[in-house]
Amino acid sequence: MSKYKIMKDSIGEIEVPADKFYGPQTQRSLLNFTIHNEKIPFALISAIATIKKACAIANNKANKMDERSMKAIINVCDMIINHELDDNFALSVWQTGSATQTNMNVNEVIANKANILDNTLHIHPNDHVNMSQSSNDVIPTAIHLMIGELINKKLLIAIDDLINVFKKVISDKTFDIVKVGRTHLQDATPITLHQEFSAFIDMLENNKQIILESLNYIYQLPIGGTAVGTGLNAPKGFDLNVCNELSKLTSYSYKVMSNKFHGLSSKDYVSNLHNSLKLLAENLYKIANDIRWLSSGPNCGIGEILIPQNEPGSSIMPGKVNPTQCESLMMLCIQVIANNYAISIANTQGNFQLNTFMPLIAYNVNQSINLLSDGMKSFANKCVYGIKPNEKRINHNIEHCLMLATALNSTIGYDKVSEIVKYAHKNGISLKKACLELKYLTSDEFDKIVDPKKMC
């Protein structure tokens, strides 16, 4: 048996692997774009299959598609979504900017597989599977669906889990310990460890709300715009019917985008959503970096917290343990921030009626959501859950903090307090001793005012 079958499209004949269900347009893309190894993510393929399913139902309601064809298309769409046909989807990200070849990849697989399952059918990739559609409205709609699915089923869960781990960790009474605050990397007035970590929780909670607000725009779909936004070849009400079906299939409330010319030519809703991911990445970087610094040492760094020792940290220095979870999270945050720049530039390329950088946008937003989701899960489970205060080091640092003198400002004034601090630092003595030697306060007066706990 031949390893290939001869198939034909508008350009001519081409050999296609006999064991694959895709057709000539997919094969031409595989041959023309052998560029590195970045492939269209399955999450986008699954979203396109979901759209094809909804469109088949909408076309049937509009009396454009018969019942048997609709059911056959739905059957293969379900097979795709359930990963039964994964080896048919291997197109490069670096293809046509409209991702037409990816849309046709799905169309061809659905049509050819359906015809094999029922040889009495004659389903055509363009005429039936792509009925009332264009790649130009399918792909942006699929990007929105992919984002909605990944954000709801992965990212938001990971954010909540990380928040809950932080809350559980700081609920321990040991986190009420008073420690040195720091500004400009220098000693500042006291803060409790609980207060310091509470900022992390609030950042993440606000990031979640910003993402949810951005997601409201993603729930608007340009499907039904077909080639340029006019809706050519789509029946009246098709857009609304497809959105209703997609809402049923996904359990999210999708609605028709008010201006489909906007939806096809601009990816600003996706760029806006990714901006919210960038903000999350920025905060996660700050959180991981703070924890990395606070745990530095163990003897020659700040060393105010202890983190889990998950693996050896050096191939040459025995016993060394590094903040690897922090470093991992920080690296992926940098990647997300870089992805945001790429998406921003790609969004500018909506020349006239179509953005032609959509594979890049889809690939980067998919990668960002997965990186952040997996990264937060690993960080929560392998680092945050095991954080403990190093009480001995914290107490030592607070006892030697010259900025405790700030509490004296309202009693003896800024200038005299500055003199006390400089005198103590120069002579290597405590603030109290400096204050007494300069004869600004008595011992009892100093103790009454300079109480680290009250300063928090």
Side-chain angles (χ1 to χ4, degrees), residues 40 44 95-104 135 139 358-359:
I40 293 294
L44 188 69
Q95 55 169 281
T96 174
S98 62
T100 297
Q101 291 149 6
T102 292
N103 181 42
M104 284 307 303
S135 300
I139 298 302
M358 287 190 285

Side-chain angles (χ1 to χ4, degrees), residues 198-401:
S198 73
F200 303 160
I201 295 170
D202 202 55
M203 289 177 202
L204 294 170
E205 289 177 338
N206 284 325
N207 281 136
K208 179 183 176 181
Q209 289 307 310
I210 293 169
I211 291 168
L212 287 171
E213 289 169 11
S214 301
L215 201 55
N216 288 327
Y217 294 96
I218 296 298
Y219 290 140
Q220 300 177 44
L221 306 178
I223 193 69
T226 64
V228 295
T230 61
L232 179 68
N233 289 345
K236 185 177 180 180
F238 178 77
D239 49 4
L240 181 59
N241 284 333
V242 173
C243 285
N244 288 339
E245 292 302 325
L246 289 172
S247 296
K248 293 176 187 176
L249 293 170
T250 63
S251 75
Y252 310 124
S253 298
Y254 287 106
K255 56 186 177 181
V256 178
M257 196 169 180
S258 59
N259 189 306
K260 299 186 184 72
F261 305 106
H262 170 193
L264 270 59
S265 62
S266 174
K267 296 293 153 283
D268 54 355
Y269 288 0
V270 178
S271 185
N272 178 61
L273 184 282
H274 200 277
N275 277 328
S276 71
L277 301 182
K278 180 179 77 75
L279 290 174
L280 173 61
E282 290 169 358
N283 276 339
L284 286 170
Y285 189 102
K286 179 265 191 300
I287 292 167
N289 203 27
D290 279 2
I291 290 174
R292 182 172 70 140
W293 278 107
L294 287 171
S295 65
S296 62
N299 295 327
C300 300
I302 294 175
E304 291 182 343
I305 62 172
L306 305 171
I307 58 174
Q309 299 185 1
N310 296 323
E311 66 272 314
S314 173
S315 61
I316 189 172
M317 294 174 281
K320 194 171 189 291
V321 178
N322 296 330
T324 53
Q325 288 295 320
C326 295
E327 292 163 358
S328 173
L329 185 61
M330 291 163 69
M331 283 192 291
L332 70 86
C333 286
I334 291 172
Q335 183 63 56
V336 171
I337 293 167
N339 285 351
N340 195 72
Y341 182 72
I343 289 173
S344 296
I345 296 299
N347 183 43
T348 68
Q349 300 304 303
N351 300 328
F352 305 114
Q353 278 68 61
L354 183 67
N355 180 285
T356 52
F357 284 65
M358 287 190 285
L360 168 67
I361 292 171
Y363 182 82
N364 279 9
V365 72
N366 175 76
Q367 184 189 58
S368 290
I369 296 172
N370 282 301
L371 281 175
L372 289 168
S373 301
D374 295 344
M376 283 188 289
K377 181 178 179 181
S378 182
F379 186 59
N381 295 335
K382 302 294 184 180
C383 180
V384 177
Y385 89 97
I387 292 176
K388 304 289 183 185
N390 185 347
E391 297 183 48
K392 184 177 179 180
R393 177 61 63 86
I394 288 173
N395 289 331
H396 174 271
N397 288 345
I398 197 70
E399 288 169 5
H400 292 79
C401 179

